Amino acid sequence: MQKLVKISDRSLFLPPSHETDRPLLAAIVGSERTLLIDAGNSSRHATLFLQQLKALNIQGDWLVITHHDWDHVFGLSEFKIPVISHFNTRDEIKKLQYLSWTDEALDQRVKDKTQTSSSAENINKELGTERDVVFPLPNITYTDQVTIDLGGVSCLIEHVGGDHAYDSSVVYIPEEKVLFVGDAMYANTMNWSYTAEKTLKLIQKLEQYDVELCFLSHQDKPLTKAEYQHELSVLKNIATLIQVFQGDKSSIAEELVNRLHRSLSEDELETIDFFINGLHS
């Protein structure tokens, strides 16, 4: 069972679980109010998070959703507090209200290429036979960004987009120099692709933050400042080179080696492949 981890006196997170694709959930605790980040991939996941918070006498006042993917919203019904999201995220959650989650419906969406086979499999494993998911709509929406004052600590919530989900937002805590990016830095999982245009726009927004710790929703440990800057640098370099060399992997890899002054990791070579996929999507 995943257990809450304390980042500081004001920040805690429940680590992700890869067995059924449970994302990281988090709480930012001010002197007056508490902001929770993401609703989890089921009522069981949400309940686990809320029970562990309750054991520490922490009660959420608001919940923010980073984007509309199933694993971030299926636990919404367990949160009896106002929900904040980008207006596009609210629109996408509203669409989910009309979908069926039976095996037959999931199989059809996989065939139609509107849902990945891995997400269908994880929904099956996480929910079992109880597939009646309830989606309360967010109460508060924003267009670009909104800042929440929790008392002694604030949270800047900003829409950043990206290839993974066009409605992706991040949560930045300036007093802590902590950034929760949700899934914004990940590729489009329908065809495993990045595009140069979306990636460069995303990085331009992310580079404005002074970050000491960066949390990705499906990574066990946060990125340090150096690791975060490295990830941004690699994405930025490949996004630039994909335009210069028009998908020639060997030329892109050779130039990236020259820039990094070392050989490339398997993850970096895979990222090049994802950008090449993006040229043909």
Side-chain angles (χ1 to χ4, degrees), residues 149-195:
D149 181 2
L150 303 177
V153 63
S154 58
C155 296
L156 170 62
I157 306 166
E158 181 174 16
H159 173 249
V160 296
D163 282 289
H164 184 83
Y166 78 105
D167 61 313
S168 282
S169 292
V170 300
V171 183
Y172 178 62
I173 299 90
E175 295 85 356
E176 305 275 282
K177 295 185 178 180
V178 170
L179 178 67
F180 293 89
V181 298
D183 289 356
M185 289 173 64
Y186 296 140
N188 178 340
T189 56
M190 289 304 302
N191 57 5
W192 293 108
S193 67
Y194 283 111
T195 59

Side-chain angles (χ1 to χ4, degrees), residues 249-260:
K249 184 175 181 179
S250 60
S251 297
I252 295 168
E254 182 179 354
E255 179 59 25
L256 192 58
V257 166
N258 291 335
R259 293 185 180 189
L260 298 177

